[in-house]
Amino acid sequence: MAELRHSSSIGNRVTSSPRKRDDVVPSSSPLVPDSGASNVDDDDDDYRGRYPRDRFRSFFSSHLQPLLPFFFPDDSRSHPHKFKISLFLLVLIILSLVIAISSVVHRLNAPYLCKKDGITLQCPRVKEPPSLWENPYSATTSWKPCAERREGLISDIPPENATNGYIFIHAEGGLNQQRIAICNAVAVAKIMNATLILPVLKQDQIWKDQTKFEDIFDVDHFIDYLKDDVRIVRDIPEWFTDKAELFTSIRRTVKNIPKYASADFYIDNVLPRVKEKKIMSLKPFVDRLGYDNVPPEINRLRCRVNYHALKFLPEIEQMADQLVSRMRNRTGSSNPFMALHLRFEKGMVGLSFCDFVGTRSEKALMAAYRKKEWPRRFKDGSHLWALALQKRKEGRCPLEPGEVAVLLRAMGYPKETQIYVASGQVYGGQNRMAPLRNMFPNLVTKEELATKPELDGFRKHVTSLAALDFLVCLKSDVFVMTHGGNFAKLIIGNRRYMGHRLKSIKPDKGLMSKSLGDPYMGWAAFVEDVVITHQTRTGLPEETFPNYDLWENPLTNCMCRA
């Protein structure tokens, strides 16, 4: 219990030590024995031992005797035997009522963080709301996707040799970061009226994977679907003989493109060089196109690429459909299921610079890991405790598996809930996962859902496995994210775009930090806060604001009134 509370309350109880908190815990807490009942005076003990009848008579005359006319008529009191039986039944009823009321009060005031026995976490059941598997407010919205290709339009794309030149990009990072880069590359090619060379998927040191575009996406569909928007070619033109120069030559590379650059920046600064050199590489190319400083049709084109043109290979789609079908039929009958994107890998925990429960040895190892990977941010480590407190208070720390379990139980999800977990190797291993798995035992990953031979064909490309997780999460009845990132943004945005009827839960981590840091909050109050707060965090389209990226909420640019 103390461990779970510690990990979630460091931002809210900075000034109180554990010893002081223990001193002020009220004796009425269900987890604290009533010390007052066991430390009475010796004189009182002697009195109870010597005069039990007198005490009972006093209690009877002052409390029970005035009630007798209501429960026992005169004729019953005239028969001593019947009177004793009736009196016994009355006392029994009163004791039953006291026990029942005490049980109800205990449940209402049970500590929010549930009972923790070793690695087992138990929370009281919550009545399942009717909106458990459906978005209750989806019927009140009237938005539909409208970024798809329009049939019958005459293409105004010039021939390949009549465009302003060729642009080439490396899509870096993981699968979803690459996906965003590809969408931006198509948009930039449209802005400059340039021909786009099929992007190369360049993995960084973390992913260490040599997947090509055609290993993960349907190239023919990609080029054909966008043929009326942008001219796309599969490879560098044959007349450009020194292909290695395109990767290494400074003269062939446009650098220093600012993040979230405007359309005018590309027209004024990049297009002249493309016209001059005919082929240019844009590097780097992560988040190098803004949202509010480009024409609406460009944003609509980016949605067209993301939601319609970028399709995974048929074999990836088919395997994902099999996983979805198995999730729905794990119990022999059709069931809804939840997809949980659990961001608690070692790299994410380290990069967050948040403090989590762990042994002294684990904390020392994590400090050494952070110092090695992020030396500039780590410095000497003296400022990290204050930083961890601040980030926890602001709700910027990843949710631990145990915290996710408490949140889902508070929302009403029962023990029988089928959960598909999309995540990397969880930091802390099985011990860290135990509270979540114990509370929701029907929790599986793709490795547990599919056979080894079925997945072996996808293991040679890490992005193929990520694509399976992406599609299963996309098609789940409820999607739950635990931390930010491109994966969660694209899933929520896609579910919004395709109809927003599917529930997508984005936890309010600020509320969680505040509630889990309050040692006096009862379970009932915690449940009420969680339910009310998350009624508006279920993935409905929202009005956008400046610099709000369209990957998570495509409403304004890519959706229209039904």
Side-chain angles (χ1 to χ4, degrees):
M1 179 186 72
E3 291 177 348
L4 182 59
R5 176 176 294 154
H6 167 75
S7 67
S8 309
S9 60
I10 56 176
N12 299 282
R13 296 176 290 150
V14 181
T15 60
S16 60
S17 67
R19 181 176 299 277
K20 291 181 180 179
R21 286 197 302 273
D22 292 340
D23 291 341
V24 299
V25 171
S27 60
S28 60
S29 172
L31 298 185
V32 180
D34 191 355
S35 58
S38 59
N39 294 321
V40 294
D41 295 337
D42 292 339
D43 292 342
D44 290 339
D45 290 338
D46 293 338
Y47 180 80
R48 284 199 298 269
R50 277 183 272 176
Y51 306 106
R53 291 183 180 179
D54 293 342
R55 288 175 60 83
F56 177 76
R57 287 172 184 160
S58 175
F59 176 81
F60 176 81
S61 61
S62 60
H63 294 86
L64 299 183
Q65 193 169 11
L67 299 176
L68 291 181
F70 296 98
F71 292 96
F72 309 107
D74 293 337
D75 57 346
S76 66
R77 281 181 283 170
S78 62
H79 298 80
H81 182 67
K82 293 183 179 180
F83 178 75
K84 290 180 179 179
I85 295 176
S86 301
L87 181 60
F88 174 76
L89 292 175
L90 174 61
V91 173
L92 189 62
I93 292 172
I94 293 175
L95 288 176
S96 300
L97 288 174
V98 171
I99 293 173
I101 293 173
S102 176
S103 176
V104 171
V105 171
H106 175 81
R107 288 182 63 85
L108 290 177
N109 293 288
Y112 65 87
L113 61 114
C114 315
K115 293 182 179 179
K116 189 173 184 183
D117 183 12
I119 60 175
T120 301
L121 188 64
Q122 296 177 341
C123 294
R125 288 185 71 97
V126 176
K127 183 179 179 181
E128 298 177 27
S131 60
L132 194 63
W133 296 103
E134 298 178 355
N135 202 334
Y137 301 102
S138 62
T140 64
T141 64
S142 56
W143 295 91
K144 66 176 183 179
C146 57
E148 64 272 16
R149 181 179 63 181
R150 297 182 182 180
E151 301 292 343
L153 293 180
I154 300 176
S155 176
D156 60 350
I157 300 299
E160 181 180 336
N161 58 3
T163 61
N164 288 323
Y166 295 82
I167 62 171
F168 178 79
I169 70 153
H170 279 108
E172 300 180 353
L175 172 64
N176 299 288
Q177 189 171 335
Q178 292 170 349
R179 191 183 189 100
I180 293 174
I182 293 168
C183 296
N184 287 337
V186 173
V188 168
K190 179 69 174 179
I191 290 171
M192 298 190 297
N193 190 24
T195 298
L196 176 65
I197 300 171
L198 196 68
V200 169
L201 308 185
K202 181 182 179 182
Q203 268 66 26
D204 56 22
Q205 295 181 353
I206 295 177
W207 292 92
K208 297 180 181 178
D209 185 28
Q210 297 300 320
T211 303
K212 298 179 181 178
F213 192 103
E214 56 268 26
D215 294 329
I216 190 84
F217 296 113
D218 188 332
V219 177
D220 292 334
H221 176 80
F222 178 73
I223 295 176
D224 179 71
Y225 199 90
L226 298 171
K227 64 183 180 181
D228 296 332
D229 296 297
V230 177
R231 185 164 297 284
I232 303 173
V233 295
R234 291 175 176 267
D235 203 353
I236 299 171
E238 294 181 357
W239 54 263
F240 189 78
T241 56
D242 191 2
K243 294 184 179 181
E245 183 185 358
L246 190 59
F247 295 92
T248 59
S249 174
I250 296 179
R251 295 183 296 109
R252 293 284 182 181
T253 303
V254 179
K255 291 189 175 183
N256 301 321
I257 299 175
K259 293 190 71 174
Y260 307 114
S262 65
D264 290 339
F265 177 87
Y266 283 95
I267 294 174
D268 296 338
N269 299 279
V270 181
L271 181 57
R273 298 194 63 184
V274 173
K275 288 181 175 180
E276 176 189 359
K277 300 293 184 181
K278 293 302 179 185
I279 295 182
M280 292 297 294
S281 173
L282 309 185
K283 184 180 180 181
F285 201 72
V286 178
D287 295 327
R288 287 317 192 253
L289 183 63
Y291 305 107
D292 301 299
N293 50 17
V294 299
E297 59 269 19
I298 296 299
N299 281 332
R300 194 171 297 113
L301 174 60
R302 289 200 276 187
C303 288
R304 189 173 306 133
V305 179
N306 186 31
Y307 302 125
H308 299 283
L310 275 177
K311 287 187 64 177
F312 294 112
L313 292 174
E315 53 267 32
I316 297 177
E317 298 268 1
Q318 292 168 7
M319 188 66 230
D321 287 340
Q322 289 185 41
L323 295 176
V324 170
S325 177
R326 292 172 189 176
M327 282 301 303
R328 296 197 189 283
N329 296 280
R330 290 189 70 223
T331 59
S333 59
S334 181
N335 295 295
F337 76 95
M338 172 190 295
L340 173 64
H341 185 222
L342 189 59
R343 295 300 310 276
F344 208 75
E345 306 91 345
K346 182 179 180 179
M348 175 55 63
V349 171
L351 182 61
S352 71
F353 279 84
C354 295
D355 184 69
F356 298 97
V357 172
T359 64
R360 183 174 298 179
S361 174
E362 287 176 330
K363 291 179 180 293
L365 290 174
M366 176 54 67
Y369 174 70
R370 286 170 171 167
K371 184 176 182 179
K372 176 183 177 182
E373 297 294 330
W374 302 281
R376 292 185 179 180
R377 290 187 60 186
F378 187 86
K379 299 179 182 178
D380 60 357
S382 60
H383 68 296
L384 294 182
W385 178 244
L387 175 64
L389 292 175
Q390 184 66 24
K391 295 189 72 172
R392 176 77 62 179
K393 184 177 181 180
E394 295 173 356
R396 293 191 290 137
C397 294
L399 292 179
E400 294 188 52
E403 294 172 335
V404 176
V406 175
L407 175 67
L408 295 179
R409 179 55 51 84
M411 289 181 175
Y413 289 96
K415 181 179 180 180
E416 299 75 24
T417 302
Q418 304 289 328
I419 301 179
Y420 178 92
V421 177
S423 72
Q425 184 66 38
V426 173
Y427 174 67
Q430 293 302 318
N431 285 340
R432 184 76 66 170
M433 282 291 294
L436 176 61
R437 191 175 288 275
N438 287 331
M439 194 176 295
F440 295 96
N442 295 325
L443 182 149
V444 294
T445 63
K446 57 182 175 294
E447 288 78 12
E448 297 170 307
L449 206 58
T451 64
K452 185 178 182 299
E454 286 178 321
L455 293 180
D456 282 344
F458 301 95
R459 294 187 190 280
K460 58 184 177 181
H461 301 301
V462 175
T463 46
S464 297
L465 295 174
L468 292 176
D469 280 341
F470 184 93
L471 290 172
V472 175
C473 290
L474 189 62
K475 298 176 182 181
S476 63
D477 297 279
V478 171
F479 172 70
V480 181
M481 59 172 286
T482 61
H483 198 51
N486 292 321
F487 184 101
K489 286 197 302 185
L490 287 170
I491 291 291
I492 291 178
N494 205 314
R495 289 163 71 93
R496 279 172 165 160
Y497 180 79
M498 293 304 181
H500 56 261
R501 289 181 296 275
L502 299 175
K503 198 171 184 179
S504 301
I505 299 175
K506 185 177 181 180
D508 186 339
K509 293 185 293 182
L511 170 73
M512 292 295 295
S513 174
K514 179 181 178 181
S515 299
L516 295 174
D518 184 353
Y520 306 114
M521 175 172 281
W523 174 253
F526 175 67
V527 169
E528 183 180 9
D529 284 353
V530 167
V531 171
I532 292 176
T533 301
H534 290 86
Q535 284 178 348
T536 57
R537 302 176 71 88
T538 57
L540 294 178
E542 301 173 357
E543 294 293 340
T544 56
F545 48 86
N547 297 321
Y548 192 107
D549 71 72
L550 55 82
W551 311 117
E552 185 173 348
N553 186 19
L555 176 65
T556 305
N557 297 285
C558 307
M559 302 178 73
C560 49
R561 292 284 185 181

